[in-house]
Amino acid sequence: MTRGITFRDVRKTFGATVALTNFDVTVHEGELITLLGPSGCGKSTALRIAAGFEVADSGDILIGDSSVIALPPSKRGIGMVFQNYSLFPHLTVRENLEFGMRVRRVSRAQRATRVDELLQLVRLSGLADRYPHQVSGGQQQRVALARALAVEPRVLLLDEPLSALDATVRVEVRDEIRRIQRESGIATVFVTHDQEEALAISDRICVMRDGRAEQVGTPQAVYRYPATSFVARFVGKVNDLEVELRSSTTVSLRGHAMEIEVPSTTLSVGEARLLIRPEDVRLVAAGDPRALPGTIENLHFGGATTSVEVFITGTGQSIQISDVTRAMNFGVGEEVGVRFDTDRALVIRS
Amino acid sequence: MRLSRALWWIVLVIAAVFYLVPMLAMARFAFQRIPVIKLAPDNIFSKWTIEPLLNTFADPDFRQAALLSVLLAVATAVATAVLLVPTMVAAHLHSPRARKLIEVSAVLPFVVPAIALVVGFAGAFRNTVPFFIRNPVGLVPLYMITALPFTHRTLENGLATLDLRTLVNASRSLGAGWVRTMVLVIAPNIRASIATASFLAFTVVLGEFTIASLLLKNTLPLYLAYAQGQNPQGSFALGLVLVVLSTVFVALSNRFARSVTT
């Protein structure tokens, strides 16, 4: 695969704070990678270094096969969409789209053709002569995306482009970004703190914490096989249970003797934690000998799935279960059994 | 509600009287061909003439002084726009401390007397770059400083309304360097502020007396002061014209600012 953009061992500090360290990620052509993490994890710093707005302490940024670390933003061949609305307020939509091409001295005729193409691409052909303040937030971000693509950059950088939008528009623009990115086949780095957004839009996700990449993988891999407890907790919901590690493959819930099989671990026996997704726990009828006994504390109807909170008898711990609504025939206060599908569970030191 | 409205009118009328009566007196003195002691309410509409003004316009000394003042005013306005805007943008983007420093030094001309400025300026340049003292161009930096309290505030207000960092980053990511970003993105978005600042700088220069006088440059205000002895009617006529012109400039700049922001 051809390389789009490569972060090579990038490091950045602000005073005593390490914003980014050992950061090594390659985004291939046609690929969309999300940098996902809580605020302060270094994801925006990474993007700003890629764009050239921030200078790395050490390391390199390659676009294609050539280093761009010494180039100013204007010479890097990037397209960028910002968190805040960034359209030039004094220019119409058309003029905004033309800006990069005018700077590059593209002829008037070529500019006009390209602008029409771009407007079609983002489905805003009717708005060419409006000013930014005359179009909605979602439309502004679509124009910003088109403007970034106008100069045919090698890499597209998106810095939380959806965070200023309200929920419904956000999903719409998100899907639009993905469609356009697929059509243009451009290497894209998408920064977000919203795990749902990351799961929905990415080819691969890079989960970041304290300036490091914790895990890089497809959304399925990151969700299904989190490399660390941080990833498990940050991407999707997870139950965090106190357990006793009995052997390398069995645990028991604190306060209950029943042994539960888990994927083989190298941790030594003793106190540990079991991380398991709500959908990997099943509700069964009370009295099932292979299930832990419990009582339903709460039911949250969520459309296709229902979220159930079960208090597990004798353990002092509750567990979240996500079940298909159609299959639900329990009520609050009812005694039930709880079974674990532990092949994707994670045992960690407590 | 009623009372406050009445109060509003009273204040307005008092203010109007305060400003307009001296102007009227000036106008009558300058433009009526009647000796001062005979000016009275009953002859307010008789014997008006613009001859004193025409006489002044015909004076070669006036022409020279007026030309010099206008040139200095234009130069000051342009220099302010070209130097102050990028400086303030840089401070906004890179150094909040520098921004604070500029803010404080921008009001200094209010408290530091012009004479101190000139003495310092002359002391520094007389032996190093005497050109600055001899040539009227040397007045431009001094006028920029004198106008700074007005120009800085105006530009600061304009910049504060922009998400400067995002706009600059967007422009640079699209391939524009600093100069183009300044000319194509920042300047058009604060053009109302730049215009207002330029008008204000222009007006300040047209009225500045002390500095020009101390450095022996024959600008318009100096001519006015000198002509008061020679041709009192003419100098008052000219003074009045300058007041009206300045008012028009300020009004124009306000109008321009409004038309851009709405």
Side-chain angles (χ1 to χ4, degrees):
Chain A
M1 265 193 287
T2 357
R3 276 197 295 231
I5 181 165
T6 308
F7 295 83
R8 186 172 286 169
D9 197 15
V10 179
R11 180 182 168 84
K12 173 76 183 173
T13 51
F14 294 106
T17 329
V18 177
L20 205 61
T21 183
N22 297 331
F23 193 69
D24 258 310
V25 173
T26 298
V27 187
H28 297 106
E29 222 142 82
E31 187 182 37
L32 190 154
I33 276 201
T34 303
L35 305 185
L36 172 68
S39 58
C41 71
K43 55 191 192 299
S44 286
T45 305
L47 201 73
R48 295 173 55 77
I49 289 173
F53 300 139
E54 209 81 71
V55 180
D57 296 350
S58 63
D60 203 356
I61 302 285
L62 308 178
I63 290 181
D65 289 321
S66 42
S67 168
V68 297
I69 198 88
L71 298 178
S74 54
K75 299 258 179 342
R76 290 196 177 188
I78 50 159
M80 185 149 179
V81 179
F82 300 83
Q83 180 174 1
N84 305 349
Y85 299 134
S86 65
L87 295 183
F88 304 129
H90 65 296
L91 301 179
T92 61
V93 166
R94 173 179 295 280
E95 289 163 344
N96 263 285
L97 295 179
E98 283 185 336
F99 186 88
M101 292 185 277
R102 283 179 65 175
V103 169
R104 283 174 176 71
R105 306 192 187 289
V106 175
S107 76
R108 182 187 290 260
Q110 274 177 300
R111 290 201 311 252
T113 322
R114 181 79 180 128
V115 167
D116 290 337
E117 271 172 32
L118 289 163
L119 285 169
Q120 256 170 23
L121 183 70
V122 295
R123 299 175 183 163
L124 291 174
S125 294
L127 302 181
D129 297 319
R130 302 262 186 99
Y131 282 91
H133 68 91
Q134 296 171 318
V135 302
S136 72
Q139 288 167 337
Q140 284 195 43
Q141 286 307 62
R142 279 150 71 191
V143 175
L145 177 66
R147 184 179 68 175
L149 291 170
V151 292
E152 293 174 355
R154 313 251 337 246
V155 177
L156 185 60
L157 306 172
L158 308 169
D159 187 7
E160 307 211 25
L162 307 174
S163 61
L165 307 176
D166 49 4
T168 43
V169 182
R170 187 179 299 190
V171 172
E172 212 176 284
V173 178
R174 181 190 80 193
D175 296 344
E176 192 82 356
I177 289 177
R178 183 57 162 155
R179 174 181 69 78
I180 290 164
Q181 189 268 337
R182 281 215 171 97
E183 278 176 28
S184 57
I186 185 170
T188 301
V189 185
F190 185 104
V191 163
T192 182
H193 60 267
D194 183 332
Q195 44 103 5
E196 211 175 308
E197 212 164 274
L199 291 171
I201 202 173
S202 317
D203 290 309
R204 284 190 299 156
I205 297 176
C206 167
V207 184
M208 295 181 66
R209 179 197 193 187
D210 296 339
R212 290 167 198 275
E214 286 261 314
Q215 184 175 7
V216 184
T218 63
Q220 293 82 358
V222 169
Y223 185 82
R224 277 306 178 198
Y225 305 103
T228 64
S229 63
F230 174 80
V231 175
R233 289 197 189 98
F234 197 79
V235 182
K237 284 189 184 134
V238 73
N239 286 298
D240 182 353
L241 302 169
E242 291 176 22
V243 293
E244 173 90 22
L245 186 61
R246 296 278 182 86
S247 71
S248 66
T249 56
T250 52
V251 298
S252 64
L253 229 56
R254 196 194 64 195
H256 202 284
M258 198 179 89
E259 291 202 340
I260 303 166
E261 272 194 42
V262 291
S264 166
T265 169
T266 54
L267 295 180
S268 51
V269 293
E271 280 184 13
R273 308 187 85 88
L274 178 69
L275 301 177
I276 188 164
R277 301 262 182 224
E279 66 271 26
D280 290 333
V281 187
R282 277 181 295 141
L283 279 179
V284 295
D288 188 321
R290 292 160 304 175
L292 286 161
T295 315
I296 295 185
E297 284 189 315
N298 251 318
L299 284 172
H300 300 286
F301 176 62
T305 60
T306 296
S307 169
V308 187
E309 203 178 325
V310 177
F311 182 78
I312 299 174
T313 313
T315 64
Q317 302 190 68
S318 290
I319 187 165
Q320 293 282 341
I321 300 169
S322 173
D323 215 341
V324 182
T325 301
R326 259 196 331 211
M328 278 291 304
N329 46 9
F330 300 103
V332 175
E334 207 168 315
E335 307 252 311
V336 289
V338 170
R339 286 198 60 181
F340 291 24
D341 293 332
T342 50
D343 32 315
R344 288 183 291 259
L346 194 65
V347 181
I348 59 165
R349 174 136 331 277
S350 63
Chain B
M1 189 66 201
R2 230 206 176 93
L3 186 74
S4 74
R5 196 163 177 77
L7 206 66
W8 188 82
W9 274 107
I10 292 168
V11 170
L12 187 74
V13 167
I14 292 174
V17 167
F18 184 80
Y19 282 106
L20 291 179
V21 166
M23 301 266 257
L24 180 68
M26 238 173 120
R28 292 196 67 185
F29 174 74
F31 292 112
Q32 277 187 293
R33 203 185 309 234
I34 300 173
V36 183
I37 48 164
K38 289 192 179 159
L39 283 172
D42 60 345
N43 56 12
I44 190 164
F45 294 114
S46 52
K47 296 193 178 171
W48 284 81
T49 172
I50 57 162
E51 213 183 288
L53 194 62
L54 293 180
N55 286 342
T56 309
F57 285 166
D59 181 354
D61 284 349
F62 161 78
R63 294 194 178 180
Q64 225 165 22
L67 183 67
L68 178 60
S69 270
V70 169
L71 287 179
L72 286 173
V74 171
T76 306
V78 171
T80 297
V82 171
L83 292 178
L84 193 56
V85 174
T87 308
M88 289 179 62
V89 167
H92 265 256
L93 289 175
H94 302 302
S95 171
R97 260 170 61 195
R99 194 178 158 189
K100 202 82 211 154
L101 193 73
I102 293 173
E103 183 131 27
V104 171
S105 36
V107 290
L108 280 183
F110 272 147
V111 287
V112 176
I115 178 125
L117 192 63
V118 173
V119 169
F121 179 80
F125 290 113
R126 182 163 292 125
N127 297 320
T128 50
V129 196
F131 169 83
F132 261 141
I133 310 285
R134 280 204 306 271
N135 197 291
V137 170
L139 288 173
V140 172
L142 293 171
Y143 283 165
M144 281 177 67
I145 294 171
T146 313
L148 206 54
F150 309 104
T151 50
H152 169 267
R153 190 47 24 222
T154 312
L155 292 173
E156 183 69 30
N157 291 347
L159 288 174
T161 60
L162 295 182
D163 183 351
L164 203 58
R165 188 174 302 277
T166 304
L167 290 182
V168 166
N169 284 348
S171 167
R172 299 187 69 206
S173 76
L174 288 167
W178 276 112
V179 174
R180 282 205 180 132
T181 298
M182 207 59 92
V183 174
L184 297 178
V185 177
I186 297 173
N189 278 302
I190 56 165
R191 61 192 188 277
S193 297
I194 294 177
T196 309
S198 303
F199 278 132
L200 288 171
F202 194 88
T203 314
V204 166
V205 173
L206 283 190
E208 205 290 324
F209 179 82
T210 321
I211 296 174
S213 158
L214 290 168
L215 289 173
L216 307 173
K217 303 290 177 282
N218 282 317
T219 59
L220 202 50
L222 258 77
Y223 174 82
L224 268 178
Y226 147 85
Q228 239 166 0
Q230 316 291 313
N231 173 16
Q233 272 198 308
S235 81
F236 272 90
L238 192 58
L240 205 58
V241 167
L242 283 181
V243 169
V244 172
L245 261 182
S246 303
T247 312
V248 168
F249 271 134
V250 172
L252 272 180
S253 72
N254 280 344
R255 168 69 60 87
F256 186 72
R258 252 203 308 280
S259 73
V260 168
T261 45
T262 50

mmCIF file of all heavy atoms in Angstrom, chain A residues 48 53 73-74 78 82 84 86 88-90 99-100 103-105 147, chain B residues 163 166-167 169-176 180 184-185 188-189 191:
data_model
loop_
_atom_site.group_PDB
_atom_site.id
_atom_site.type_symbol
_atom_site.label_atom_id
_atom_site.label_comp_id
_atom_site.label_asym_id
_atom_site.label_seq_id
_atom_site.Cartn_x
_atom_site.Cartn_y
_atom_site.Cartn_z
ATOM 1 N N ARG A 48 -1.816 18.904 14.643
ATOM 2 C CA ARG A 48 -1.244 20.229 14.399
ATOM 3 C C ARG A 48 0.218 20.126 13.964
ATOM 4 O O ARG A 48 0.697 20.941 13.184
ATOM 5 C CB ARG A 48 -1.375 21.102 15.655
ATOM 6 C CG ARG A 48 -2.839 21.392 16.012
ATOM 7 C CD ARG A 48 -2.976 22.101 17.349
ATOM 8 N NE ARG A 48 -2.183 23.306 17.375
ATOM 9 C CZ ARG A 48 -2.524 24.434 16.788
ATOM 10 N NH1 ARG A 48 -3.666 24.507 16.164
ATOM 11 N NH2 ARG A 48 -1.756 25.472 16.849
ATOM 12 N N PHE A 53 1.438 23.512 12.115
ATOM 13 C CA PHE A 53 1.113 24.640 12.991
ATOM 14 C C PHE A 53 1.880 24.562 14.302
ATOM 15 O O PHE A 53 1.943 25.512 15.062
ATOM 16 C CB PHE A 53 -0.385 24.668 13.300
ATOM 17 C CG PHE A 53 -1.233 24.814 12.080
ATOM 18 C CD1 PHE A 53 -2.401 24.088 11.945
ATOM 19 C CD2 PHE A 53 -0.859 25.669 11.052
ATOM 20 C CE1 PHE A 53 -3.174 24.213 10.808
ATOM 21 C CE2 PHE A 53 -1.630 25.798 9.935
ATOM 22 C CZ PHE A 53 -2.794 25.067 9.802
ATOM 23 N N PRO A 73 3.206 25.206 6.761
ATOM 24 C CA PRO A 73 1.907 24.595 6.426
ATOM 25 C C PRO A 73 1.528 24.799 4.958
ATOM 26 O O PRO A 73 0.973 23.890 4.330
ATOM 27 C CB PRO A 73 0.924 25.330 7.335
ATOM 28 C CG PRO A 73 1.729 25.886 8.430
ATOM 29 C CD PRO A 73 3.115 26.106 7.914
ATOM 30 N N SER A 74 1.853 25.996 4.443
ATOM 31 C CA SER A 74 1.408 26.317 3.089
ATOM 32 C C SER A 74 2.080 25.455 2.029
ATOM 33 O O SER A 74 1.628 25.387 0.897
ATOM 34 C CB SER A 74 1.667 27.797 2.803
ATOM 35 O OG SER A 74 3.019 28.112 3.057
ATOM 36 N N ILE A 78 -1.427 19.769 2.335
ATOM 37 C CA ILE A 78 -2.456 19.200 3.189
ATOM 38 C C ILE A 78 -3.765 19.939 2.983
ATOM 39 O O ILE A 78 -3.788 21.069 2.508
ATOM 40 C CB ILE A 78 -2.075 19.329 4.678
ATOM 41 C CG1 ILE A 78 -1.657 20.778 4.955
ATOM 42 C CG2 ILE A 78 -0.997 18.351 5.053
ATOM 43 C CD1 ILE A 78 -1.727 21.174 6.376
ATOM 44 N N PHE A 82 -11.371 22.398 10.367
ATOM 45 C CA PHE A 82 -11.168 22.756 11.761
ATOM 46 C C PHE A 82 -12.435 22.549 12.583
ATOM 47 O O PHE A 82 -13.532 22.440 12.068
ATOM 48 C CB PHE A 82 -10.734 24.222 11.865
ATOM 49 C CG PHE A 82 -9.457 24.492 11.122
ATOM 50 C CD1 PHE A 82 -9.461 24.730 9.758
ATOM 51 C CD2 PHE A 82 -8.249 24.482 11.783
ATOM 52 C CE1 PHE A 82 -8.287 24.964 9.071
ATOM 53 C CE2 PHE A 82 -7.067 24.716 11.110
ATOM 54 C CZ PHE A 82 -7.086 24.952 9.752
ATOM 55 N N ASN A 84 -13.636 24.770 14.852
ATOM 56 C CA ASN A 84 -14.445 25.991 14.767
ATOM 57 C C ASN A 84 -14.747 26.257 13.302
ATOM 58 O O ASN A 84 -14.012 25.833 12.431
ATOM 59 C CB ASN A 84 -13.679 27.186 15.315
ATOM 60 C CG ASN A 84 -13.192 26.937 16.717
ATOM 61 O OD1 ASN A 84 -13.595 25.972 17.344
ATOM 62 N ND2 ASN A 84 -12.320 27.790 17.191
ATOM 63 N N SER A 86 -14.432 27.780 10.051
ATOM 64 C CA SER A 86 -13.211 28.431 9.587
ATOM 65 C C SER A 86 -13.368 29.046 8.203
ATOM 66 O O SER A 86 -12.393 29.472 7.605
ATOM 67 C CB SER A 86 -12.081 27.402 9.538
ATOM 68 O OG SER A 86 -12.395 26.427 8.566
ATOM 69 N N PHE A 88 -13.878 31.756 5.421
ATOM 70 C CA PHE A 88 -13.560 33.183 5.455
ATOM 71 C C PHE A 88 -14.862 33.965 5.360
ATOM 72 O O PHE A 88 -15.564 33.882 4.360
ATOM 73 C CB PHE A 88 -12.614 33.529 4.315
ATOM 74 C CG PHE A 88 -11.356 32.703 4.326
ATOM 75 C CD1 PHE A 88 -10.921 32.046 3.200
ATOM 76 C CD2 PHE A 88 -10.626 32.573 5.502
ATOM 77 C CE1 PHE A 88 -9.763 31.277 3.222
ATOM 78 C CE2 PHE A 88 -9.464 31.810 5.541
ATOM 79 C CZ PHE A 88 -9.038 31.155 4.399
ATOM 80 N N PRO A 89 -15.184 34.729 6.399
ATOM 81 C CA PRO A 89 -16.509 35.344 6.466
ATOM 82 C C PRO A 89 -16.768 36.369 5.373
ATOM 83 O O PRO A 89 -17.923 36.630 5.057
ATOM 84 C CB PRO A 89 -16.545 36.011 7.847
ATOM 85 C CG PRO A 89 -15.223 35.813 8.461
ATOM 86 C CD PRO A 89 -14.360 34.997 7.583
ATOM 87 N N HIS A 90 -15.699 36.945 4.810
ATOM 88 C CA HIS A 90 -15.909 38.002 3.817
ATOM 89 C C HIS A 90 -16.035 37.438 2.408
ATOM 90 O O HIS A 90 -16.193 38.196 1.459
ATOM 91 C CB HIS A 90 -14.769 39.007 3.881
ATOM 92 C CG HIS A 90 -13.436 38.417 3.483
ATOM 93 N ND1 HIS A 90 -12.830 37.410 4.210
ATOM 94 C CD2 HIS A 90 -12.621 38.680 2.447
ATOM 95 C CE1 HIS A 90 -11.689 37.090 3.632
ATOM 96 N NE2 HIS A 90 -11.536 37.841 2.557
ATOM 97 N N PHE A 99 -10.323 29.871 -2.976
ATOM 98 C CA PHE A 99 -9.190 30.517 -2.309
ATOM 99 C C PHE A 99 -7.850 29.812 -2.564
ATOM 100 O O PHE A 99 -6.890 30.426 -3.033
ATOM 101 C CB PHE A 99 -9.449 30.618 -0.807
ATOM 102 C CG PHE A 99 -8.399 31.386 -0.063
ATOM 103 C CD1 PHE A 99 -8.500 32.758 0.088
ATOM 104 C CD2 PHE A 99 -7.292 30.754 0.480
ATOM 105 C CE1 PHE A 99 -7.534 33.478 0.773
ATOM 106 C CE2 PHE A 99 -6.316 31.461 1.156
ATOM 107 C CZ PHE A 99 -6.445 32.828 1.306
ATOM 108 N N GLY A 100 -7.816 28.513 -2.243
ATOM 109 C CA GLY A 100 -6.563 27.770 -2.402
ATOM 110 C C GLY A 100 -6.072 27.750 -3.837
ATOM 111 O O GLY A 100 -4.877 27.808 -4.113
ATOM 112 N N VAL A 103 -4.586 31.154 -4.766
ATOM 113 C CA VAL A 103 -3.237 31.259 -4.226
ATOM 114 C C VAL A 103 -2.255 30.508 -5.123
ATOM 115 O O VAL A 103 -1.122 30.934 -5.327
ATOM 116 C CB VAL A 103 -3.200 30.711 -2.784
ATOM 117 C CG1 VAL A 103 -1.778 30.555 -2.297
ATOM 118 C CG2 VAL A 103 -3.980 31.634 -1.854
ATOM 119 N N ARG A 104 -2.728 29.392 -5.697
ATOM 120 C CA ARG A 104 -1.861 28.600 -6.581
ATOM 121 C C ARG A 104 -1.941 29.049 -8.033
ATOM 122 O O ARG A 104 -1.458 28.361 -8.924
ATOM 123 C CB ARG A 104 -2.262 27.127 -6.483
ATOM 124 C CG ARG A 104 -1.773 26.467 -5.224
ATOM 125 C CD ARG A 104 -2.324 25.054 -5.132
ATOM 126 N NE ARG A 104 -1.796 24.339 -3.986
ATOM 127 C CZ ARG A 104 -2.118 24.607 -2.721
ATOM 128 N NH1 ARG A 104 -2.974 25.572 -2.451
ATOM 129 N NH2 ARG A 104 -1.597 23.917 -1.733
ATOM 130 N N ARG A 105 -2.605 30.152 -8.269
ATOM 131 C CA ARG A 105 -2.707 30.725 -9.606
ATOM 132 C C ARG A 105 -3.317 29.776 -10.639
ATOM 133 O O ARG A 105 -2.854 29.677 -11.773
ATOM 134 C CB ARG A 105 -1.342 31.207 -10.111
ATOM 135 C CG ARG A 105 -0.668 32.176 -9.151
ATOM 136 C CD ARG A 105 0.523 32.846 -9.781
ATOM 137 N NE ARG A 105 1.249 33.634 -8.791
ATOM 138 C CZ ARG A 105 0.793 34.775 -8.269
ATOM 139 N NH1 ARG A 105 -0.358 35.274 -8.664
ATOM 140 N NH2 ARG A 105 1.504 35.426 -7.363
ATOM 141 N N ARG A 147 -13.545 22.880 0.534
ATOM 142 C CA ARG A 147 -12.456 23.842 0.367
ATOM 143 C C ARG A 147 -11.103 23.173 0.591
ATOM 144 O O ARG A 147 -10.137 23.434 -0.119
ATOM 145 C CB ARG A 147 -12.640 24.992 1.361
ATOM 146 C CG ARG A 147 -11.606 26.086 1.206
ATOM 147 C CD ARG A 147 -11.827 27.209 2.179
ATOM 148 N NE ARG A 147 -11.565 26.802 3.559
ATOM 149 C CZ ARG A 147 -11.597 27.622 4.600
ATOM 150 N NH1 ARG A 147 -11.911 28.881 4.417
ATOM 151 N NH2 ARG A 147 -11.356 27.192 5.810
ATOM 152 N N ASP B 163 -12.081 34.954 14.865
ATOM 153 C CA ASP B 163 -11.379 33.774 15.354
ATOM 154 C C ASP B 163 -10.075 33.723 14.561
ATOM 155 O O ASP B 163 -9.929 32.962 13.613
ATOM 156 C CB ASP B 163 -12.239 32.540 15.121
ATOM 157 C CG ASP B 163 -11.587 31.287 15.682
ATOM 158 O OD1 ASP B 163 -10.414 31.356 16.092
ATOM 159 O OD2 ASP B 163 -12.254 30.247 15.694
ATOM 160 N N THR B 166 -7.933 30.398 13.865
ATOM 161 C CA THR B 166 -8.537 29.453 12.918
ATOM 162 C C THR B 166 -8.447 29.988 11.497
ATOM 163 O O THR B 166 -8.098 29.254 10.565
ATOM 164 C CB THR B 166 -10.003 29.194 13.291
ATOM 165 O OG1 THR B 166 -10.056 28.738 14.640
ATOM 166 C CG2 THR B 166 -10.606 28.133 12.396
ATOM 167 N N LEU B 167 -8.744 31.272 11.319
ATOM 168 C CA LEU B 167 -8.695 31.840 9.970
ATOM 169 C C LEU B 167 -7.278 31.782 9.407
ATOM 170 O O LEU B 167 -7.073 31.436 8.246
ATOM 171 C CB LEU B 167 -9.197 33.294 9.989
ATOM 172 C CG LEU B 167 -10.690 33.476 10.245
ATOM 173 C CD1 LEU B 167 -11.065 34.946 10.195
ATOM 174 C CD2 LEU B 167 -11.518 32.677 9.264
ATOM 175 N N ASN B 169 -4.836 29.721 10.316
ATOM 176 C CA ASN B 169 -4.477 28.329 10.037
ATOM 177 C C ASN B 169 -5.161 27.821 8.772
ATOM 178 O O ASN B 169 -4.550 27.106 7.977
ATOM 179 C CB ASN B 169 -4.848 27.437 11.222
ATOM 180 C CG ASN B 169 -3.875 27.593 12.379
ATOM 181 O OD1 ASN B 169 -2.806 28.194 12.217
ATOM 182 N ND2 ASN B 169 -4.225 27.071 13.532
ATOM 183 N N ALA B 170 -6.417 28.184 8.597
ATOM 184 C CA ALA B 170 -7.135 27.748 7.395
ATOM 185 C C ALA B 170 -6.446 28.296 6.156
ATOM 186 O O ALA B 170 -6.181 27.578 5.196
ATOM 187 C CB ALA B 170 -8.588 28.220 7.450
ATOM 188 N N SER B 171 -6.109 29.579 6.214
ATOM 189 C CA SER B 171 -5.470 30.212 5.069
ATOM 190 C C SER B 171 -4.130 29.558 4.763
ATOM 191 O O SER B 171 -3.807 29.265 3.614
ATOM 192 C CB SER B 171 -5.282 31.702 5.371
ATOM 193 O OG SER B 171 -4.420 32.273 4.440
ATOM 194 N N ARG B 172 -3.352 29.291 5.804
ATOM 195 C CA ARG B 172 -2.027 28.707 5.580
ATOM 196 C C ARG B 172 -2.141 27.268 5.095
ATOM 197 O O ARG B 172 -1.362 26.827 4.264
ATOM 198 C CB ARG B 172 -1.194 28.804 6.858
ATOM 199 C CG ARG B 172 -1.002 30.262 7.285
ATOM 200 C CD ARG B 172 -0.062 30.377 8.430
ATOM 201 N NE ARG B 172 1.282 30.038 8.008
ATOM 202 C CZ ARG B 172 2.215 29.579 8.827
ATOM 203 N NH1 ARG B 172 1.950 29.392 10.085
ATOM 204 N NH2 ARG B 172 3.411 29.302 8.369
ATOM 205 N N SER B 173 -3.124 26.534 5.611
ATOM 206 C CA SER B 173 -3.280 25.150 5.145
ATOM 207 C C SER B 173 -3.702 25.124 3.681
ATOM 208 O O SER B 173 -3.500 24.140 2.986
ATOM 209 C CB SER B 173 -4.300 24.404 6.006
ATOM 210 O OG SER B 173 -5.614 24.794 5.681
ATOM 211 N N LEU B 174 -4.296 26.216 3.203
ATOM 212 C CA LEU B 174 -4.712 26.270 1.802
ATOM 213 C C LEU B 174 -3.596 26.781 0.895
ATOM 214 O O LEU B 174 -3.816 27.041 -0.282
ATOM 215 C CB LEU B 174 -5.952 27.152 1.652
ATOM 216 C CG LEU B 174 -7.225 26.526 2.218
ATOM 217 C CD1 LEU B 174 -8.341 27.558 2.335
ATOM 218 C CD2 LEU B 174 -7.679 25.363 1.365
ATOM 219 N N GLY B 175 -2.413 26.992 1.458
ATOM 220 C CA GLY B 175 -1.267 27.320 0.622
ATOM 221 C C GLY B 175 -0.861 28.781 0.646
ATOM 222 O O GLY B 175 0.050 29.181 -0.062
ATOM 223 N N ALA B 176 -1.530 29.600 1.445
ATOM 224 C CA ALA B 176 -1.174 31.017 1.478
ATOM 225 C C ALA B 176 -0.085 31.250 2.514
ATOM 226 O O ALA B 176 -0.151 30.717 3.618
ATOM 227 C CB ALA B 176 -2.395 31.860 1.812
ATOM 228 N N ARG B 180 0.120 36.852 2.059
ATOM 229 C CA ARG B 180 -1.197 36.659 1.450
ATOM 230 C C ARG B 180 -2.285 36.503 2.501
ATOM 231 O O ARG B 180 -3.389 37.006 2.348
ATOM 232 C CB ARG B 180 -1.174 35.411 0.568
ATOM 233 C CG ARG B 180 -0.514 35.687 -0.755
ATOM 234 C CD ARG B 180 -1.039 34.709 -1.753
ATOM 235 N NE ARG B 180 -0.432 34.940 -3.032
ATOM 236 C CZ ARG B 180 0.092 33.971 -3.778
ATOM 237 N NH1 ARG B 180 0.038 32.728 -3.354
ATOM 238 N NH2 ARG B 180 0.618 34.254 -4.929
ATOM 239 N N LEU B 184 -5.193 38.892 2.071
ATOM 240 C CA LEU B 184 -6.416 38.304 1.517
ATOM 241 C C LEU B 184 -7.419 37.877 2.578
ATOM 242 O O LEU B 184 -8.611 37.743 2.302
ATOM 243 C CB LEU B 184 -6.072 37.080 0.654
ATOM 244 C CG LEU B 184 -5.220 37.334 -0.584
ATOM 245 C CD1 LEU B 184 -4.932 36.027 -1.296
ATOM 246 C CD2 LEU B 184 -5.930 38.300 -1.522
ATOM 247 N N VAL B 185 -6.939 37.606 3.794
ATOM 248 C CA VAL B 185 -7.867 37.081 4.805
ATOM 249 C C VAL B 185 -8.083 38.067 5.957
ATOM 250 O O VAL B 185 -9.212 38.444 6.264
ATOM 251 C CB VAL B 185 -7.370 35.729 5.358
ATOM 252 C CG1 VAL B 185 -8.302 35.227 6.454
ATOM 253 C CG2 VAL B 185 -7.291 34.710 4.228
ATOM 254 N N PRO B 188 -9.246 42.094 4.847
ATOM 255 C CA PRO B 188 -10.637 42.285 4.439
ATOM 256 C C PRO B 188 -11.628 42.097 5.591
ATOM 257 O O PRO B 188 -12.677 42.735 5.616
ATOM 258 C CB PRO B 188 -10.868 41.199 3.382
ATOM 259 C CG PRO B 188 -9.530 40.750 2.953
ATOM 260 C CD PRO B 188 -8.598 41.011 4.082
ATOM 261 N N ASN B 189 -11.265 41.256 6.550
ATOM 262 C CA ASN B 189 -12.200 41.011 7.644
ATOM 263 C C ASN B 189 -12.186 42.085 8.716
ATOM 264 O O ASN B 189 -13.108 42.152 9.538
ATOM 265 C CB ASN B 189 -11.939 39.636 8.259
ATOM 266 C CG ASN B 189 -12.591 38.542 7.453
ATOM 267 O OD1 ASN B 189 -13.804 38.550 7.255
ATOM 268 N ND2 ASN B 189 -11.797 37.625 6.945
ATOM 269 N N ARG B 191 -11.562 45.330 7.666
ATOM 270 C CA ARG B 191 -11.397 46.520 6.836
ATOM 271 C C ARG B 191 -12.105 47.726 7.429
ATOM 272 O O ARG B 191 -11.625 48.848 7.306
ATOM 273 C CB ARG B 191 -11.862 46.269 5.404
ATOM 274 C CG ARG B 191 -13.312 45.887 5.212
ATOM 275 C CD ARG B 191 -13.462 45.389 3.766
ATOM 276 N NE ARG B 191 -14.830 45.154 3.374
ATOM 277 C CZ ARG B 191 -15.495 44.036 3.639
ATOM 278 N NH1 ARG B 191 -14.918 43.076 4.359
ATOM 279 N NH2 ARG B 191 -16.734 43.880 3.220
#
